[in-house]
Amino acid sequence: MNAPRNWGVRIAGTGSAVPERRMTNADFTAILDTSDEWILQRTGISERRIADPNAESTFNLSRDALQRALDAAGMKGSELDLVIVGTLTSEMPCPSTAVRVAAAVGAVPAGAFDISAACCGFVYAMNVAETMVRSGRAKAVGVIGAETLSRVTDYTDRTCSILFGDGAGAAVLVRDEDPALGCIHQSMQADGSRWESLYLPVLPRDVPESDLQSTVRLGCLRMNGREVFKFAVTKFREVIEESLAATRLSANDLSQVICHQSNIRIIEAARERIGLDPEKVYVNIDRYGNTSAASVGICLDELTRAGKLTPGLPFMMVAFGGGLTWASSVWSTRGA
Ligand code: ACO
């Protein structure tokens, strides 16, 4: 281990991976009482990617996303000393997805573990990784947010199933001599007393009393959409405002606010309340749906590759999800 010191932290490369197969709103109208118009208007989603259960998994989407991030950074897996995967859909409780990803990209014996924070998985993982690099405890960390939510989706539940998609987003964080670079503010919070709004029951005893009268499918995500919606609209605004106050930035000092892609109406409500320009709030929910822990990482990769993160300007990542959890991460970047 390296001696503690306050290093700067830089995102050296990003990557993402999504399954080949598209599931459109029209595909849902064939199996559920719904319509393209309802889904598009109420959520902003047109299609999502769905993993082939025989060929695609959280593990191989994570591996591909991280390999692309390493390629973008011009680095080898052997240079990583830690790999973190944020996910709620690890293949198995043991081993973690992260240890298999680390081995697949040649990062052995890097430390590796998964973080379970639902849709906040990527932002939580970025915050933990950044802290490790900043303190000198790690030189280079692979961070991934990945999900195969299709594996835990009840396709007879029209309020839930239309939202979810599969994918992975990754970033490679490295140390930098300039301590001003990296995360200038981070938050990770949770309120476990509200877990019943969004949960994944394994055994009958996991189903809370409030849901005993409903049809609950074990092994599938169960959500009180209206509750989560109300929580999310308020929390997005609060988290962004708190992060701006803590960094003494104004909303339009940021090059982008990268929001978890939960529902276009949730993102738009927060954007309008804060007075952010539309071009500063990236949206790709139309193409991927809600990919939970993967969504912020996929956005980060698409923005980076499109050159939409202005060098020298800070950007913010913000997410909320099951738990309930919420998190933010504000990054300063190097000028051109
Ligand atoms: N097609 C047609 N009608 C539908 C559908 C559908 N797919 N789903 C629900 N409806 C109906 C309802 O049955 C209801 O009908 P009723 O008035 O006759 O009872 C009506 O539409 C309105 O239902 P609401 O639940 O009020 O619809 P709402 O506008 O709230 O949209 C939604 C539902 C999209 C789920 C919304 O509540 C939402 O986005 N919630 C947040 C979800 C979220 O962000 N989850 C994040 C975390 S995911 C994670 O952590 C893994």
Side-chain angles (χ1 to χ4, degrees), residues 34-56:
T34 190
S35 65
D36 175 42
E37 193 189 14
W38 193 96
I39 300 173
L40 196 56
Q41 278 182 2
R42 307 303 290 172
T43 71
I45 302 168
S46 294
E47 61 179 35
R48 58 298 279 147
R49 301 299 184 95
I50 301 295
D52 171 352
N54 298 314
E56 293 167 318

Side-chain angles (χ1 to χ4, degrees), residues 196-259:
E196 295 173 18
S197 306
L198 182 53
Y199 67 99
L200 202 164
V202 177
L203 297 172
R205 67 163 189 229
D206 298 333
V207 179
E209 222 170 291
S210 54
D211 247 352
L212 286 178
Q213 304 309 318
S214 319
T215 313
V216 176
R217 188 166 287 190
L218 297 180
C220 289
L221 275 168
R222 171 88 186 148
M223 182 178 68
N224 181 334
R226 279 178 208 179
E227 276 298 307
V228 178
F229 191 92
K230 276 189 279 173
F231 163 78
V233 167
T234 315
K235 200 46 86 181
F236 254 167
R237 182 178 51 76
E238 281 176 11
V239 173
I240 296 171
E241 284 175 348
E242 280 165 17
S243 301
L244 289 172
T247 51
R248 297 172 190 223
L249 293 167
S250 77
N252 288 312
D253 292 333
L254 299 164
S255 77
Q256 284 285 329
V257 176
I258 309 176
C259 294

Side-chain angles (χ1 to χ4, degrees), residues 36-101:
D36 175 42
E37 193 189 14
W38 193 96
I39 300 173
L40 196 56
Q41 278 182 2
R42 307 303 290 172
T43 71
I45 302 168
S46 294
E47 61 179 35
R48 58 298 279 147
R49 301 299 184 95
I50 301 295
D52 171 352
N54 298 314
E56 293 167 318
S57 65
T58 300
F59 158 67
N60 53 32
L61 291 169
S62 298
R63 175 199 61 200
D64 293 352
L66 180 58
Q67 189 56 58
R68 285 170 194 157
L70 286 164
D71 293 345
M75 289 171 62
K76 293 196 169 69
S78 56
E79 293 174 72
L80 298 176
D81 38 22
L82 183 62
V83 174
I84 309 176
V85 178
T87 186
L88 65 88
T89 49
S90 296
E91 285 72 20
M92 295 177 267
C94 178
S96 66
T97 296
V99 295
R100 294 174 63 205
V101 171

Side-chain angles (χ1 to χ4, degrees), residues 33-35 38-39 42-43 88 118-119 149 158-160 162-164 198 221 223-226 228-229 232 260 262-263 265-266 290 292 320-322:
D33 178 16
T34 190
S35 65
W38 193 96
I39 300 173
R42 307 303 290 172
T43 71
L88 65 88
C119 302
L149 290 179
R158 67 177 181 170
T159 55
C160 224
I162 49 118
L163 295 172
F164 300 137
L198 182 53
L221 275 168
M223 182 178 68
N224 181 334
R226 279 178 208 179
V228 178
F229 191 92
H260 167 49
S262 51
N263 182 321
R265 291 186 293 138
I266 295 174
N290 176 347
S292 184
F320 71 89

Side-chain angles (χ1 to χ4, degrees), residues 21-32 34 36 39 46-48 50 162:
R21 189 180 147 217
R22 290 177 158 80
M23 188 165 184
T24 65
N25 293 348
D27 294 328
F28 276 99
T29 61
I31 55 170
L32 288 172
T34 190
D36 175 42
I39 300 173
S46 294
E47 61 179 35
R48 58 298 279 147
I50 301 295
I162 49 118

